[in-house]
Amino acid sequence: MSDDSTTQCLLFPGIFRKPIIAQFDQREGSSDGGALLLKAADRRYGLLDELTTCLRDQRQAGKVDHGLRELLAQRVFSIACGYPDANDCARLAGDPIHKLLSDRDPVEGRDLASQPTLSRFENGVGVKELYRMGEALAVRVIRRHGQRLRRRAYRVTIDLDPTDDPTHGAQQLSFFNGHYDNWCYLPVLGFVSFNEEAEQYLCAAVLRPGNVTAAVGAVGLLRRLVRIIRNRFPGVQIRVRLDGGFAHPAVLEFLEAQPKLEYVVAMAKNAVLKRIAAPGIRRARQLSRSSGKTEHIYGEVRYAARKWPALRRVVIKAEVVRAPEKDPKDNPRFVITNMKQGPQWIYEQVYCRRGDIENRIKELHDLEMDRTSCTSFWANQFRVLLTAAAYVLMQELRLRAAGTACARAQVGMLRDRLLKLGARVLVSARRIVVHLPASFPFLPVFRQVALALGAATG
């Protein structure tokens, strides 16, 4: 065995009945065989084509080896497969499955773009292009579900939520945030859901400096989403759910100015509201002492904060929380709304359902949306949009897996079950054959998703 080959193998003597040699020499092999589903999902969705039209190629044509769409696809598919950094392409550039995803011959085709090329690509996207990409993402997501529902939606719900994106370098507009006790960015994420469906579909991802409040940019983002929804679903009822950081006069005024729009917005407690909620808290304490459990009482009040132009309806949840070996704790909550239903129904059936957004945000962090390590703020915004595009495709796979063991799987588990498959790629004059494991335990799910995305049985 030559010196060169020993660096590409591992020896396992004395473990098995015979000595084992693990040799890394399978040039036609890939660990991402299931990523073919991503290509099929994008073909149905048209997402990458839509995003590519927002970019301008200012490179010298004679020196271009990798088109903008190839670069975009390479990054999005890599992120979906668990490779968030451009550095990962040092190993992936020759991967046959990733070359196939970029419409190159998986064996004889040129390698994909290198890390320096991808870094230049990420840093070369301008502000106007990023704005167009953000709008294209929202348009494509809402259009896709309009087609799926055949425009038969009677209600579209918009959820916005900020999250922290810790920074660990000299990134532009990274600031210390006292609430998160860290240097960070503070991106805001937008989701839409339809009718009574549980899934919340990502449609917006906007990176913001780390020292902004939750409401900064919210009106502009809501205006864009409401316009796109109205264009796709004329006359539909829109519902907006926001947490307490968005309870800003400008946000509330915008929401109230929109026709056929309901909103529920959490509000931070203050001395006046706590005094109003006090009778309910006393009653909840009595109930809690009797039952030994957490109890709550619902009520409402017409209330106007100092900067509000008029009274607004505020739903009150007067709650006393009991936990084992702890003293009872008062926990009053307040929600501003223009809805007409009862306080308990509004709080429990409308506002509380936005809590599932935390799972969507966790999934985005699992895709490492927070890998915003570029110096330039706008390059980091581009990275956030690339991750958003990868997540949208993963949500499409989950949607196609309805009724299977992967129907509610987190994105990380979905990737492990459907994408991370050992594959061997063989190319002949007539076709490309991707050999996948015969013992694959999630073959029925893979088959269902593939058929739903346009595959045919052979």
Side-chain angles (χ1 to χ4, degrees):
M1 185 176 291
S2 69
D3 292 338
D4 291 339
S5 63
T6 58
T7 62
Q8 296 297 323
C9 72
L10 296 172
L11 308 179
F12 295 91
I15 299 178
F16 303 97
R17 186 169 56 88
K18 295 181 179 180
I20 299 294
I21 300 175
Q23 195 156 340
F24 297 88
D25 60 355
Q26 182 56 265
R27 296 188 179 278
E28 294 81 28
S30 173
S31 61
D32 297 314
L36 299 173
L37 294 177
L38 293 172
K39 179 76 169 179
D42 179 62
R43 182 181 178 186
R44 286 298 182 93
Y45 221 112
L47 180 61
L48 296 186
D49 285 338
E50 187 89 14
L51 295 179
T52 303
T53 60
C54 303
L55 300 173
R56 292 185 303 165
D57 196 346
Q58 297 178 314
R59 299 172 295 175
Q60 297 181 29
K63 299 181 179 180
V64 172
D65 291 328
H66 311 280
L68 291 181
R69 194 192 184 285
E70 287 183 341
L71 297 173
L72 187 70
Q74 182 179 349
R75 288 293 284 128
V76 170
F77 292 142
S78 294
I79 291 169
C81 289
Y83 311 109
D85 270 336
N87 292 336
D88 296 316
C89 68
R91 290 283 185 181
L92 294 176
D95 185 290
I97 291 294
H98 285 266
K99 289 163 69 173
L100 190 59
L101 296 178
S102 293
D103 298 320
R104 295 193 176 185
D105 186 289
V107 177
E108 300 297 334
R110 284 182 311 180
D111 283 354
L112 300 177
S114 63
Q115 179 269 325
T117 299
L118 291 173
S119 293
R120 287 192 296 271
F121 173 56
E122 291 180 349
N123 283 273
V125 179
V127 179
K128 292 182 179 179
E129 294 167 284
L130 291 170
Y131 180 86
R132 289 194 295 267
M133 289 183 71
E135 179 144 353
L137 178 72
V139 168
R140 182 56 63 175
V141 169
I142 292 168
R143 183 184 302 169
R144 159 72 184 97
H145 294 288
Q147 293 169 347
R148 175 176 66 87
L149 297 169
R150 299 177 183 176
R151 298 198 179 189
R152 295 173 183 172
Y154 56 84
R155 182 174 62 247
V156 179
T157 302
I158 301 172
D159 292 293
L160 300 186
D161 214 17
T163 183
D164 65 316
D165 174 358
T167 55
H168 306 283
Q171 292 100 315
Q172 290 179 339
L173 302 182
S174 166
F175 293 104
F176 185 82
N177 188 294
H179 177 75
Y180 294 102
D181 193 28
N182 203 351
W183 288 79
C184 64
Y185 289 129
L186 197 68
V188 62
L189 304 170
F191 300 84
V192 288
S193 51
F194 302 89
N195 303 333
E196 302 300 327
E197 294 180 351
E199 185 76 12
Q200 295 149 323
Y201 300 99
L202 179 68
C203 63
V206 180
L207 193 66
R208 302 179 303 173
N211 61 347
V212 301
T213 61
V216 170
V219 171
L221 183 54
L222 287 168
R223 181 179 288 112
R224 176 199 295 179
L225 294 179
V226 168
R227 171 174 51 81
I228 295 170
I229 292 169
R230 296 282 191 217
N231 288 341
R232 195 64 189 171
F233 300 95
V236 73
Q237 178 74 56
I238 296 178
R239 180 178 291 171
V240 176
R241 300 183 297 201
L242 306 171
D243 74 5
F246 293 93
H248 188 278
V251 175
L252 296 174
E253 289 170 15
F254 169 79
L255 294 174
E256 291 172 341
Q258 306 306 307
K260 293 196 69 174
L261 187 146
E262 303 172 333
Y263 69 82
V264 285
V265 181
M267 181 179 182
K269 63 188 74 173
N270 59 40
V272 175
L273 288 174
K274 287 165 63 176
R275 186 169 63 250
I276 294 171
I281 291 290
R282 288 194 293 269
R283 177 60 179 154
R285 287 178 191 152
Q286 294 172 356
L287 294 173
S288 183
R289 280 195 296 268
S290 299
S291 67
K293 302 176 181 179
T294 296
E295 297 287 354
H296 43 254
I297 299 292
Y298 288 96
E300 62 179 281
V301 67
R302 301 290 294 178
Y303 171 78
R306 185 175 303 174
K307 295 183 180 180
W308 292 3
L311 296 170
R312 291 188 170 101
R313 186 188 187 196
V314 177
V315 168
I316 301 170
K317 179 185 180 183
E319 182 178 53
V320 174
V321 179
R322 280 187 180 269
E325 300 180 0
K326 292 185 179 181
D327 294 332
K329 181 181 178 181
D330 296 345
N331 184 39
R333 296 297 182 95
F334 307 94
V335 172
I336 313 162
T337 184
N338 66 345
M339 298 180 66
K340 308 301 182 184
Q341 291 85 348
Q344 182 172 356
W345 188 88
I346 290 173
Y347 195 91
E348 294 181 355
Q349 301 301 317
V350 180
Y351 180 74
C352 287
R353 290 188 178 183
R354 71 178 301 277
D356 202 38
I357 296 175
E358 296 300 327
N359 292 324
R360 306 287 79 74
I361 293 176
K362 180 180 181 296
E363 290 182 318
L364 282 160
H365 284 293
D366 287 344
L367 283 179
E368 300 194 59
M369 181 190 70
D370 52 0
R371 194 63 68 91
T372 48
S373 53
C374 294
T375 300
S376 164
F377 176 82
W378 298 117
N380 287 324
Q381 168 67 81
F382 187 40
R383 282 194 169 190
V384 167
L385 286 173
L386 292 173
T387 307
Y391 183 70
V392 166
L393 294 181
M394 293 299 289
Q395 283 194 299
E396 179 70 7
L397 297 189
R398 181 162 57 198
L399 178 64
R400 302 290 188 168
T404 71
C406 294
R408 296 298 294 167
Q410 295 282 305
V411 160
M413 183 179 292
L414 199 66
R415 178 174 59 208
D416 293 341
R417 289 181 174 181
L418 298 183
L419 305 187
K420 307 304 285 187
L421 298 177
R424 185 183 178 208
V425 182
L426 297 180
V427 180
S428 67
R430 293 190 303 153
R431 61 183 181 177
I432 298 172
V433 181
V434 179
H435 292 274
L436 299 171
S439 58
F440 173 39
F442 295 99
L443 177 58
V445 183
F446 189 95
R447 183 186 297 274
Q448 175 177 314
V449 173
L451 291 174
L453 292 172
T457 56

